[in-house]
Amino acid sequence: MTKLKSHDALLLLCTEKDALHTENLKINGLIIVPDVENEYSCLVIHQKKDRVMRRLMFTIAMLGLLTACTDKKEQIGVRGETIDLLREVCTTQQVDHTLQVIDSLEQAGDMQPPVSDYWRGVVYDMGWRYRLAAYYYQRAFDTYLEPITDWPGYAETGYRLACMKWNMQDYDKGLQIATRLVAQADSLEKKGTKAFPRTYHAFLFSLISDFQIHLQQYDEAKRNCQRAFDILTGGKGSDVVDRLTMCAGNVNVFLEIDDIDAAETWLERAETEYNELEQQLSSGRNIAPIVSEYRQRLSLLRACILQAQGKTDEAASAYVSVPDGDIMRLPANLEASVRYLMTAGRYDEALTYMNRIDTLSPASERPRMTFDIIRDRMVPRYKALLKAGHNAEAIATATDICQAIDSAMAVQKLSDAAELSVIYETQQKDLALERKENSEHIHLIIISGLVLLLIISAIVMCNIIITKRRLHEKNIELFETIQLMADKEEKAQEKILSITAMEPQTPIQKLYLQLIELMCSKQPYTDSELTRENLAQMLGTNSRYLADAIRECAGGISLGEYLDNWRIRHAARMLTETDEPIGLVINMSGLSSRSHFNALFREHYKMTPTEYRRIAKENSQK
């Protein structure tokens, strides 16, 4: 869709006899769609000022939806049956039905935000429900997050949102949105990328000038009008229709603020672009309706400028030179005629064209009486009637205006309530969807956590089993080593006894041999209450001398350590040879403390008593 200046509308009309009536024609990206039911086939490109063609605009918007869905097939996954359904929707012109179709597409996954929210905004826009249109445009606009990849869609959504802020007279917000968009476009341009569409870039500056003019920032507005034109013409491939549309729109803007010199400058530029348009027509480009429209448009604007300059005769001549015909049914041209006739004091003729404008959009087709209609249609009519001397009709029109204001206020309240209700329902659906998604996420996290816990538990259990198995294997090897060492120790002890009995001995050595014989024969260490004094008495000596003998002959250990070694070896033998409970084994080994026993056993054998007994039994069964 070609992007045009926010306050200008381009309508392409053709009669049933025209060749354009037999097929769709695409000119500069504009799709002209024949309408066999009406006398004229129309395409409204932009809606800001030409609200009289709302119903036709809705049809075109739905055709645009069809085109967008087709062009973005990969993005939103529109299927063939969806295309057929949208074709049917486009012919119904029913807002509610169209919204249901969009909802169905979204639920089926064939259309996702921001596309779905954008087209909801378009549907409400066509139905004059500005609050809802702005709400869905804003939702679609906010969906785009950095980094933005779909710059054309982002630019179009933001442009429509800014225009909607104009319609709602929220000029500061609209200016803020447009300024943000042009800043992003400028940034991309400095980086050398063409991601942001040049035409949107240009017309956004034009829209900013509209806001600034309304805010009486005339110097900034003039500079931005020029900047918009420079951007539009600065790149390759700019279309003459876009340039002509912008120039003609700027003429209207500066006429409204009575800057006649600037309006004349822009009119001269528009006439230059129009000459190029005529050359393209003569070269075979099928743009006869556009050429005919702008031939009239520029003549009317010239008449308005001459009249404002006080050149009434030249203005009248320029107005007379305007070719009459079906193109004069265009609202933009009719409004230019009304502007000239009102300033020229030709009020009866102005009333005739006002009536013609009204016939293009019968009251029965208007969704509701709005303040725009009152301002743009009824108030000018009242002024014209009053100036023309039709006092009775002027009074009746004034009465109608008062009633229309009351009606518009009442309808506005009802509309606001209805729109707020729709917004509330949408927000509730969003909250419900968010809760559902959060709940699903929580469940997914819980399930994932449980699965992860099970996996970790399984890994831990496997590691434990593997570790136990390896430890058991090591304990078996250790047990076998211990048994070998014990056998060697017994043999070594017997050997020592036999050798020392034959060799000369010191008193200390004799005492130590007596101690070994006592330990082997009477096992005094099994008495947990045995003291070093009692043991010394059994050997006929004192405890100090006995301790010295042990320290010298047993490797420097103390008497207590010596007794513990005998006791722990005795316990190990009982664990191997008997099935007595470990507690009883402890008592029978002369150890009174289980914790002391466990510590000593682990220190000597590097395993627990239970593991030692189990390995001993396994070893005995081999």
Side-chain angles (χ1 to χ4, degrees):
M1 187 177 74
T2 298
K3 301 85 181 171
L4 302 181
K5 189 172 179 65
S6 58
H7 58 265
D8 199 10
L10 175 63
L11 285 79
L12 304 180
L13 302 172
C14 54
T15 63
E16 293 180 356
K17 298 179 181 180
D18 200 309
L20 297 179
H21 217 308
T22 60
E23 60 181 359
N24 292 357
L25 175 64
K26 188 172 184 179
I27 303 175
N28 187 34
L30 310 181
I31 302 176
I32 304 173
V33 185
D35 185 353
V36 297
E37 296 181 357
N38 298 321
E39 182 180 358
Y40 300 97
S41 298
C42 305
L43 172 64
V44 179
I45 302 302
H46 210 279
Q47 76 277 14
K48 185 170 182 182
K49 287 296 179 84
D50 294 317
R51 300 179 178 89
V52 295
M53 305 302 292
R54 287 283 179 173
R55 185 173 180 181
L56 289 175
M57 288 174 64
F58 176 74
T59 303
I60 299 304
M62 291 302 99
L63 289 173
L65 172 59
L66 172 60
T67 304
C69 291
T70 304
D71 292 342
K72 300 180 181 180
K73 186 172 182 180
E74 294 183 0
Q75 177 182 350
I76 60 178
V78 178
R79 301 185 300 272
E81 57 269 24
T82 304
I83 299 296
D84 297 335
L85 179 60
L86 290 176
R87 285 199 183 99
E88 179 182 353
V89 172
C90 290
T91 61
T92 62
Q93 302 179 10
Q94 296 178 3
V95 172
D96 293 338
H97 181 48
T98 307
L99 292 173
Q100 291 175 1
V101 171
I102 295 174
D103 291 341
S104 299
L105 291 173
E106 188 175 46
Q107 293 173 3
D110 292 333
M111 182 182 290
Q112 300 293 335
V115 177
S116 56
D117 285 332
Y118 167 81
W119 283 107
R120 287 189 184 96
V122 171
V123 172
Y124 284 120
D125 193 352
M126 298 303 103
W128 290 13
R129 301 173 72 174
Y130 291 159
R131 187 191 302 274
L132 287 174
Y135 174 72
Y136 281 106
Y137 283 149
Q138 186 71 61
R139 279 170 57 95
F141 188 65
D142 292 341
T143 303
Y144 291 96
L145 301 176
E146 296 288 350
I148 296 171
T149 55
D150 181 17
W151 283 103
Y154 175 74
E156 183 171 356
T157 303
Y159 180 75
R160 282 187 174 271
L161 177 60
C163 290
M164 188 52 57
K165 295 300 181 181
W166 173 278
N167 290 336
M168 299 176 68
Q169 300 181 359
D170 188 355
Y171 304 115
D172 291 332
K173 184 64 174 178
L175 180 59
Q176 179 182 351
I177 294 170
T179 303
R180 169 186 170 184
L181 288 168
V182 297
Q184 291 172 310
D186 290 342
S187 176
L188 291 174
E189 188 175 22
K190 290 180 180 178
K191 295 177 181 178
T193 177
K194 298 181 180 179
F196 201 101
R198 178 175 294 274
T199 309
Y200 273 122
H201 192 185
F203 281 104
L204 278 166
F205 267 108
S206 184
L207 180 59
I208 288 175
S209 70
D210 291 343
F211 286 117
Q212 291 172 333
I213 287 173
H214 180 82
L215 298 172
Q216 299 182 353
Q217 301 171 3
Y218 300 127
D219 293 337
E220 293 85 348
K222 292 179 183 179
R223 285 195 292 268
N224 283 323
C225 283
Q226 184 62 50
R227 177 79 184 278
F229 186 74
D230 292 341
I231 292 174
L232 188 62
T233 57
K236 297 180 180 179
S238 64
D239 191 82
V240 64
V241 176
D242 290 337
R243 301 196 300 271
L244 178 55
T245 299
M246 180 175 286
C247 292
N250 287 340
V251 175
N252 278 322
V253 169
F254 289 108
L255 279 175
E256 290 179 1
I257 64 174
D258 294 327
D259 190 342
I260 307 305
D261 292 337
E264 188 173 17
T265 300
W266 283 106
L267 180 60
E268 292 172 357
R269 292 179 178 176
E271 290 172 343
T272 301
E273 302 296 341
Y274 174 77
N275 293 334
E276 182 178 342
L277 192 68
E278 282 191 323
Q279 293 176 6
Q280 292 187 6
L281 176 64
S282 62
S283 300
R285 185 179 179 185
N286 198 351
I287 49 175
I290 300 177
V291 174
S292 179
E293 178 214 349
Y294 273 104
R295 184 185 303 121
Q296 298 175 356
R297 177 81 61 85
L298 298 182
S299 297
L300 291 169
L301 293 175
R302 173 64 67 183
C304 292
I305 290 175
L306 291 170
Q307 184 66 32
Q309 292 174 337
K311 303 174 182 181
T312 56
D313 293 338
E314 296 179 43
S317 299
Y319 181 75
V320 171
S321 68
V322 176
D324 198 5
D326 291 331
I327 301 299
M328 279 300 292
R329 291 177 177 270
L330 285 169
N333 288 352
L334 292 174
E335 289 173 355
S337 298
V338 170
R339 183 201 302 274
Y340 165 73
L341 293 172
M342 290 290 287
T343 56
R346 298 163 62 174
Y347 303 113
D348 287 325
E349 295 177 66
L351 286 168
T352 300
Y353 283 106
M354 288 180 184
N355 292 333
R356 185 178 295 183
I357 291 174
D358 285 344
T359 59
L360 294 179
S361 179
S364 60
E365 293 186 2
R366 296 172 185 164
R368 56 186 172 89
M369 179 61 68
T370 66
F371 294 106
D372 294 333
I373 295 175
I374 296 170
R375 182 190 65 237
D376 298 337
R377 298 287 181 263
M378 300 183 73
V379 172
R381 179 183 295 278
Y382 168 75
K383 292 180 180 178
L385 289 171
L386 197 62
K387 294 286 187 179
H390 304 305
N391 295 332
E393 295 180 33
I395 292 173
T397 301
T399 303
D400 292 340
I401 290 174
C402 293
Q403 293 176 351
I405 292 174
D406 294 338
S407 175
M409 291 180 65
V411 171
Q412 185 66 45
K413 291 180 180 178
L414 293 175
S415 177
D416 289 346
E419 291 177 356
L420 289 173
S421 176
V422 173
I423 293 174
Y424 175 76
E425 291 177 1
T426 302
Q427 292 175 341
Q428 290 298 111
K429 289 180 181 179
D430 289 344
L431 289 174
L433 180 60
E434 184 178 356
R435 293 192 194 98
K436 182 179 178 182
E437 292 177 349
N438 290 338
S439 177
E440 291 175 353
H441 290 161
I442 292 173
H443 291 161
L444 180 61
I445 291 173
I446 293 174
I447 293 173
S448 301
L450 291 175
V451 171
L452 182 61
L453 182 61
L454 289 174
I455 293 173
I456 293 174
S457 301
I459 294 173
V460 171
M461 291 298 296
C462 289
N463 288 335
I464 291 173
I465 293 173
I466 293 172
T467 303
K468 284 185 175 181
R469 184 176 298 169
R470 291 175 179 174
L471 181 61
H472 183 65
E473 292 173 355
K474 290 182 179 180
N475 288 339
I476 292 174
E477 295 177 359
L478 181 60
F479 177 80
E480 293 175 352
T481 303
I482 291 171
Q483 296 301 313
L484 291 174
M485 292 178 64
D487 293 341
K488 289 181 180 180
E489 185 177 356
E490 290 181 0
K491 291 179 180 180
Q493 195 173 43
E494 291 176 358
K495 186 177 182 180
I496 291 171
L497 291 174
S498 62
I499 292 174
T500 54
M502 298 173 61
E503 294 179 355
Q505 302 169 358
T506 65
I508 292 292
Q509 291 175 339
K510 290 181 179 180
L511 179 61
Y512 183 70
L513 291 174
Q514 293 174 3
L515 175 63
I516 293 176
E517 291 177 356
L518 177 65
M519 289 294 185
C520 293
S521 60
K522 296 185 178 180
Q523 298 180 342
Y525 55 82
T526 58
D527 184 3
S528 60
E529 296 181 357
L530 177 67
T531 64
R532 60 183 62 189
E533 287 78 11
N534 293 338
L535 183 60
Q537 289 177 2
M538 292 180 186
L539 295 171
T541 186
N542 59 60
S543 60
R544 177 174 297 181
Y545 191 62
L546 178 61
D548 292 339
I550 293 173
R551 187 177 299 108
E552 179 177 338
C553 300
I557 63 175
S558 66
L559 176 59
E561 291 173 338
Y562 182 79
L563 291 174
D564 284 343
N565 288 341
W566 278 94
R567 287 167 174 166
I568 207 68
R569 287 198 298 270
H570 182 78
R573 285 195 300 271
M574 289 190 67
L575 290 172
T576 304
E577 298 171 358
T578 70
D579 293 328
E580 299 294 343
I582 292 178
L584 182 59
V585 170
I586 294 172
N587 293 331
M588 294 179 68
S589 298
L591 295 167
S592 58
S593 172
R594 191 183 189 96
S595 59
H596 182 56
F597 168 74
N598 290 334
L600 282 176
F601 201 93
R602 185 178 292 275
E603 179 182 352
H604 280 75
Y605 300 111
K606 310 302 180 185
M607 68 183 77
T608 65
T610 303
E611 181 70 13
Y612 185 88
R613 169 173 276 179
R614 184 163 63 86
I615 293 173
K617 289 184 177 180
E618 291 177 359
N619 192 56
S620 64
Q621 293 174 0
K622 291 181 180 181

